[in-house]
């Protein structure tokens, strides 16, 4: 069975905005689109443009996916200083979703978003990886701190990771633990998973496989597939929990179907035993 490996990651989540009329039409995406379009074009509401962009970017329900249209709508909302729209627009340019990939523009829109406490984690990742900007781990740390203070669980987790690795800050497992706990409390599965890793290897805490297993399970509940994989490993090996090969196989299978390569490999290894 593979050993546990800490893999840091981050996801950009598209969040719905707030238009009261839309609550009554939540199951009718065509009606939703019309409500959002009227709010955007007739009432000049940034939230309407943003929500319509989310529908087009996802292709929800009967609304045909159109990433180029989504990008235009995100920009309209961002022009009105709607921070979530600026953050998603940064993501659009970072990944070339409906527009030509442009890291300089991605940085610009993430910076604008971060001034409103959105997109700071994404901007921090660019600085941490030297993507579109000169690599600057101290700058990344500052951005993660801002994101974490604003309640962004992934920002807290990434901040904890820097302390755990001694990158951009002096290595400090106690601080790493604190920020991982904050991330997990904010339902960021990666934070629960990283905290579990500390307990598996006794880094800054007493080794506690039972606690680690519970944290991996929590990460899995929050749909963090690498946490699911680690939870399944603990079940398969009977570490911190009673051995349950059937359940481990089920979890590996689900994570494999969701695209996690390590889960597919572990499922194959499990089949040989």
């Amino acid at each position: 069975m593979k050993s546990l490996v800490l893999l840091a990651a981050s996801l950009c989540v598209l969040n719905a905005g707030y238009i009261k009329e839309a609550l009554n039409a939540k199951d009718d995406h065509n009606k939703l689109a019309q409500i959002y379009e009227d709010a955007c074009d007739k009432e000049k509401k940034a939230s309407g443009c943003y929500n319509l962009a989310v529908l087009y970017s996802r292709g929800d329900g009967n609304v045909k996916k159109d990433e180029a249209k989504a990008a235009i709508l995100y920009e309209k909302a961002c022009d009105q200083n709607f921070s979530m729209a600026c953050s998603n627009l940064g993501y659009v340019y970072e990944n070339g979703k409906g527009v030509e990939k442009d890291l300089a523009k991605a940085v610009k829109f993430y910076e604008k978003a971060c001034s409103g406490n959105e997109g700071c984690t994404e901007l921090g990742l660019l600085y941490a990886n030297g993507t579109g900007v000169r690599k600057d781990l101290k700058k990344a740390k500052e951005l993660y701190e801002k994101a974490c203070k604003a309640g962004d669980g992934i920002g807290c987790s990434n901040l904890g990771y820097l302390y755990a690795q001694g990158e951009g800050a002096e290595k400090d497992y106690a601080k790493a633990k604190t920020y991982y706990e904050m991330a997990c409390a904010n339902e960021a599965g990666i934070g629960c998973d990283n905290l579990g890793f500390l307990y598996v290897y006794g880094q800054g805490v007493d080794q506690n496989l039972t606690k680690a297993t519970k944290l991996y399970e929590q990460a899995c509940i929050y749909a963090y597939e690498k946490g699911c994989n680690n939870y399944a490993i603990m079940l398969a090996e009977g570490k911190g929990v009673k051995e349950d090969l059937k359940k481990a196989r089920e979890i590996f299978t689900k994570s494999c179907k969701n695209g996690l390569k390590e889960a597919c490999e572990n499922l194959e290894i499990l089949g040989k035993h």
Side-chain angles (χ1 to χ4, degrees), residues 202-221:
Q203 295 179 333
V205 295
D206 291 332
Q207 185 181 54
N208 189 328
L209 297 182
T210 299
K211 195 161 189 174
T213 299
K214 289 179 180 177
L215 285 163
Y216 287 144
E217 182 181 14
Q218 193 63 51
C220 190
I221 290 170

Side-chain angles (χ1 to χ4, degrees), residues 107-154:
V107 171
K108 170 188 169 184
F109 288 118
Y110 282 145
E111 286 177 339
K112 186 173 182 179
C114 188
S115 68
N117 290 325
E118 296 287 345
C120 301
T121 295
E122 289 79 1
L123 184 58
L125 280 167
L126 295 186
Y127 277 102
N129 296 319
T131 304
V133 292
R134 172 179 273 184
K135 186 171 181 176
D136 188 337
L137 290 172
K138 288 187 177 180
K139 176 76 172 178
K141 176 178 172 288
E142 291 171 2
L143 288 162
Y144 293 152
E145 286 174 337
K146 184 174 183 180
C148 186
K149 286 179 182 178
D152 182 346
I154 294 177

